[in-house]
Amino acid sequence: MAKSVNKVILLGNVGKDPEIRSTGGGTMVANFTLATTDRAKDQQGNWQDKTEWHNLVAFQRTAEIVRDYVKKGTKLYVEGKIQTRSWDDKESGQKRYRTEIIVNDISLLSGRDDAGGGGGYSRGSNAGSFDQRQPAAQEDFAQSAEISDDDIPF
Amino acid sequence: MAKSVNKVILLGNVGKDPEIRSTGGGTMVANFTLATTDRAKDQQGNWQDKTEWHNLVAFQRTAEIVRDYVKKGTKLYVEGKIQTRSWDDKESGQKRYRTEIIVNDISLLSGRDDAGGGGGYSRGSNAGSFDQRQPAAQEDFAQSAEISDDDIPF
Amino acid sequence: MAKSVNKVILLGNVGKDPEIRSTGGGTMVANFTLATTDRAKDQQGNWQDKTEWHNLVAFQRTAEIVRDYVKKGTKLYVEGKIQTRSWDDKESGQKRYRTEIIVNDISLLSGRDDAGGGGGYSRGSNAGSFDQRQPAAQEDFAQSAEISDDDIPF
Amino acid sequence: MAKSVNKVILLGNVGKDPEIRSTGGGTMVANFTLATTDRAKDQQGNWQDKTEWHNLVAFQRTAEIVRDYVKKGTKLYVEGKIQTRSWDDKESGQKRYRTEIIVNDISLLSGRDDAGGGGGYSRGSNAGSFDQRQPAAQEDFAQSAEISDDDIPF
DNA sequence: TTTT
DNA sequence: TTTT
């Protein structure tokens, strides 16, 4: 009987293979990015495509589905909620923010061969992606605010 | 005929009176914040409220509505899309991000006296305008298709 | 990992006090109607309000909330899915249809005294619980990334 | 500044080639059906797929897109609103209802060769489908309540 | 970084 | 009537 609503609906393409981790408490966590593209008029009145990148996080059973079926290029429908985490920047002492979509539900829209990579959705196909780097600007985040059991929103 | 979807639905309370500005080109812009509150279990298994703050931006006609009717405490339903802007921090040279909700549609849910401040958006109360006539004729349905355990959809 | 989506979002006013029943199997069921009102241009080009009535059904725990807190006039936010049931009309033998919204989630928007009838769902007012603390630190953003015409997303 | 919300989000597959018509006033109208499939537990506790069929109606520019790109089997994301029309049954004099989704926005999810039919999305590819019959139970509706300019919801 |  |  919530008194408020925080709901996000996204449909787009996954930017790279998800990163799969576990918290100390054993909760599986999947991090990945999703691109949505808008058509908008620019200053000159020309239509331009503008891509928006979203940081998604899935937990537990949903993280397993991500691990097993989602990879770079996968077209996905996602329902979730917006969450902004903050931490203190080590260098400057400033407050910094990172907004993420906590994924509640997921629907795979790619056909079997639509998504980028090699063979299909076999479990463990993301094994090699553990090492993938985040975009530069999130290094600081990664170090200062690695996900912990305190961050699990349930 | 978009190939992607970027949609946000929020229902919550406005954090403070909106800031209204105009760009150099004369576009009206309204900035404000909206709080949504989740109930979630913490590490000890106790239910805790957790408030999420969203940065909202409205333009043009929607900004005018915000200017005229929205203030601190207003309960709002909002539809919009997620947009993250980035810039280089002057001090550190680091890339920084700010995620905002670009508001497309707004629905004022506060009654006339619910929201915080003084004056208000006067446009009539809802009281007299609620059409209470019901469609007739569910009777045939009621008799022929009374709900049974077979109809429970789970 | 559904391959399809069937989602409804409604915000409107309840048409009359809900009917509460139980199935033979003991599942609680709540039936009620919700009005949403659209503003649309008629044939003469005049703006007209048009009310749409939705048949809602809630089960189990959600039905209990409906029983306890929802009555004629209550303003509600609802999430659910569309379901059409059919049966054979006793008289004519024709197939007949009834479309309902199966309610998954509900949010009560009426203030304590907003809804029509007598008694009410007492559980505290919202007044004291609205967390008014704002996140600090938008200053850097404000200085470095003041909105300009380039940022208008249309 | 609506005071209510009536929003539907569907993602599923088109049941057969759309019917394209024009009202007397020259508004293009596209009618088609969309299937969504739910997984739900039946009485015996077994998971069962249950398909829900939705009646969709698109107008004007959206109807043109439907005409040009949508056919039997197309996977679609749709946003719209619920509308129930009623008419008096000629035979029985009873009030009858038909619930439709008025489509506001559409996103084609089928790759070029995913959808059923022959060549791609050429304009007019649906020419042969004008003649398609509706499911039996809607014959009465078709005769009694053929869409007219009065039914255009804008 | 995706996709069309 | 769709799809996996």
Side-chain angles (χ1 to χ4, degrees):
Chain A
M1 199 185 66
K3 280 278 191 185
S4 65
V5 175
N6 172 358
K7 181 166 284 289
V8 174
I9 288 170
L10 299 174
L11 196 163
N13 297 287
V14 172
K16 43 185 173 175
D17 289 349
E19 296 176 46
I20 311 295
R21 283 180 279 206
S22 291
T23 64
T27 301
M28 186 176 289
V29 183
N31 286 272
F32 56 111
T33 57
L34 192 81
T36 59
T37 302
D38 241 27
R39 188 143 302 193
K41 276 194 177 149
D42 66 12
Q43 294 295 100
Q44 284 71 42
N46 303 316
W47 287 102
Q48 292 283 27
D49 275 356
K50 187 179 167 196
T51 293
E52 193 65 34
W53 285 99
H54 309 272
N55 300 307
L56 309 208
V57 190
F59 296 99
Q60 295 181 315
R61 177 66 190 131
T62 311
E64 290 179 49
I65 294 171
V66 169
R67 178 196 59 190
D68 293 346
Y69 299 113
V70 172
K71 53 182 187 289
K72 180 176 173 176
T74 303
K75 188 180 279 295
L76 272 190
Y77 171 92
V78 162
E79 277 184 50
K81 64 178 174 183
I82 302 175
Q83 189 168 98
T84 299
R85 296 197 278 153
S86 67
W87 69 98
D88 293 314
D89 184 74
K90 288 282 169 51
E91 313 246 328
S92 64
Q94 290 180 318
K95 201 118 196 137
R96 300 200 48 189
Y97 299 92
R98 178 182 162 92
T99 298
E100 297 170 312
I101 310 304
I102 308 300
V103 177
N104 299 322
D105 202 5
I106 214 174
S107 182
L108 294 166
L109 304 177
S110 294
R112 208 197 313 165
D113 310 312
D114 290 2
Y121 311 157
S122 58
R123 258 178 166 263
S125 68
N126 286 324
S129 70
F130 264 69
D131 224 331
Q132 290 212 339
R133 313 301 294 171
Q134 290 281 95
Q138 286 156 210
E139 302 281 294
D140 174 63
F141 165 72
Q143 286 160 19
S144 307
E146 185 65 61
I147 202 163
S148 80
D149 286 283
D150 294 331
D151 296 312
I152 309 296
F154 49 82
Chain B
M1 200 184 63
K3 280 280 192 183
S4 66
V5 175
N6 174 358
K7 181 165 283 289
V8 174
I9 289 170
L10 300 174
L11 196 164
N13 297 288
V14 171
K16 45 182 173 179
D17 289 350
E19 296 173 43
I20 310 295
R21 283 179 278 203
S22 289
T23 64
T27 302
M28 185 176 289
V29 183
N31 285 273
F32 56 111
T33 57
L34 192 81
T36 58
T37 302
D38 241 28
R39 188 143 302 194
K41 276 193 176 151
D42 65 12
Q43 294 295 100
Q44 284 72 42
N46 302 317
W47 287 101
Q48 292 283 26
D49 276 355
K50 188 181 166 193
T51 294
E52 192 66 35
W53 284 99
H54 309 272
N55 301 307
L56 308 210
V57 189
F59 297 98
Q60 297 181 313
R61 177 68 189 129
T62 312
E64 290 179 47
I65 295 171
V66 170
R67 180 196 58 191
D68 294 344
Y69 300 111
V70 172
K71 53 182 187 292
K72 180 176 171 176
T74 303
K75 187 179 280 293
L76 273 190
Y77 171 91
V78 162
E79 276 184 50
K81 65 177 174 184
I82 302 175
Q83 190 167 98
T84 300
R85 296 198 278 153
S86 67
W87 69 97
D88 293 314
D89 183 74
K90 287 283 170 48
E91 312 246 329
S92 64
Q94 289 180 318
K95 201 129 201 120
R96 300 198 50 189
Y97 299 91
R98 177 180 162 94
T99 297
E100 297 170 312
I101 309 305
I102 308 300
V103 177
N104 300 321
D105 203 6
I106 212 171
S107 182
L108 294 165
L109 304 177
S110 293
R112 213 200 306 171
D113 310 312
D114 289 2
Y121 39 100
S122 42
R123 267 196 210 164
S125 98
N126 225 20
S129 67
F130 180 47
D131 180 354
Q132 308 216 6
R133 287 166 304 170
Q134 285 282 92
Q138 313 284 29
E139 289 65 34
D140 173 64
F141 165 73
Q143 284 157 23
S144 308
E146 186 64 62
I147 201 162
S148 80
D149 285 284
D150 294 331
D151 295 313
I152 308 297
F154 50 83
Chain C
M1 199 183 65
K3 280 282 190 184
S4 65
V5 175
N6 173 359
K7 180 165 285 287
V8 174
I9 289 169
L10 300 174
L11 196 163
N13 297 288
V14 171
K16 45 181 171 177
D17 289 350
E19 296 174 43
I20 310 295
R21 281 179 283 206
S22 289
T23 64
T27 301
M28 184 175 291
V29 183
N31 285 272
F32 57 111
T33 57
L34 191 82
T36 57
T37 303
D38 241 26
R39 190 143 300 193
K41 276 193 176 149
D42 66 11
Q43 294 296 100
Q44 285 71 42
N46 302 317
W47 288 101
Q48 292 282 30
D49 275 354
K50 188 180 167 196
T51 293
E52 192 66 35
W53 285 98
H54 309 273
N55 301 307
L56 308 209
V57 190
F59 297 99
Q60 297 180 312
R61 176 67 190 131
T62 310
E64 290 178 49
I65 295 172
V66 169
R67 179 195 60 191
D68 294 344
Y69 299 110
V70 172
K71 53 183 188 291
K72 180 176 171 177
T74 303
K75 188 179 279 294
L76 272 190
Y77 170 92
V78 163
E79 277 183 49
K81 65 177 176 185
I82 302 175
Q83 189 165 99
T84 299
R85 295 196 280 153
S86 67
W87 68 98
D88 294 313
D89 183 73
K90 289 282 172 46
E91 314 245 328
S92 63
Q94 290 179 317
K95 201 126 200 126
R96 298 199 51 190
Y97 300 91
R98 176 180 163 93
T99 298
E100 297 170 313
I101 309 304
I102 308 300
V103 177
N104 299 322
D105 201 5
I106 213 173
S107 182
L108 294 165
L109 304 177
S110 293
R112 215 202 303 175
D113 310 312
D114 291 359
Y121 39 100
S122 41
R123 267 198 207 163
S125 96
N126 228 20
S129 67
F130 180 47
D131 180 354
Q132 305 215 8
R133 286 166 304 168
Q134 285 283 93
Q138 312 285 31
E139 289 65 34
D140 173 62
F141 164 72
Q143 286 158 21
S144 309
E146 186 64 61
I147 202 162
S148 80
D149 285 284
D150 293 331
D151 295 313
I152 309 296
F154 49 82
Chain D
M1 197 184 67
K3 280 279 192 185
S4 65
V5 175
N6 174 358
K7 181 166 284 288
V8 175
I9 289 169
L10 299 174
L11 196 164
N13 297 287
V14 172
K16 42 184 173 176
D17 288 349
E19 296 176 48
I20 310 296
R21 283 179 281 206
S22 290
T23 64
T27 300
M28 185 175 290
V29 183
N31 285 272
F32 57 110
T33 56
L34 191 80
T36 57
T37 302
D38 242 28
R39 188 143 301 194
K41 275 195 176 150
D42 66 12
Q43 294 296 99
Q44 285 71 43
N46 303 316
W47 288 101
Q48 291 282 27
D49 275 355
K50 187 181 168 196
T51 294
E52 194 65 35
W53 285 99
H54 309 272
N55 300 307
L56 308 209
V57 190
F59 297 98
Q60 297 182 313
R61 176 68 190 131
T62 311
E64 291 180 48
I65 295 172
V66 169
R67 179 195 60 191
D68 294 345
Y69 298 111
V70 172
K71 52 183 189 288
K72 180 175 172 177
T74 303
K75 188 180 280 293
L76 272 189
Y77 171 92
V78 162
E79 276 184 50
K81 64 178 175 185
I82 302 176
Q83 189 166 99
T84 299
R85 296 197 278 153
S86 67
W87 68 99
D88 293 313
D89 183 73
K90 288 282 168 47
E91 313 245 328
S92 64
Q94 290 180 318
K95 201 120 196 133
R96 300 199 48 191
Y97 300 92
R98 176 181 163 92
T99 298
E100 296 170 313
I101 309 305
I102 309 301
V103 178
N104 299 322
D105 201 6
I106 211 172
S107 181
L108 295 165
L109 304 177
S110 293
R112 212 201 306 169
D113 309 313
D114 290 1
Y121 313 155
S122 58
R123 259 178 168 263
S125 68
N126 286 323
S129 69
F130 264 69
D131 224 331
Q132 290 213 343
R133 311 303 293 174
Q134 290 280 94
Q138 286 155 210
E139 302 281 293
D140 174 64
F141 164 74
Q143 285 159 22
S144 307
E146 184 66 58
I147 201 162
S148 80
D149 286 284
D150 294 331
D151 295 313
I152 308 296
F154 49 83

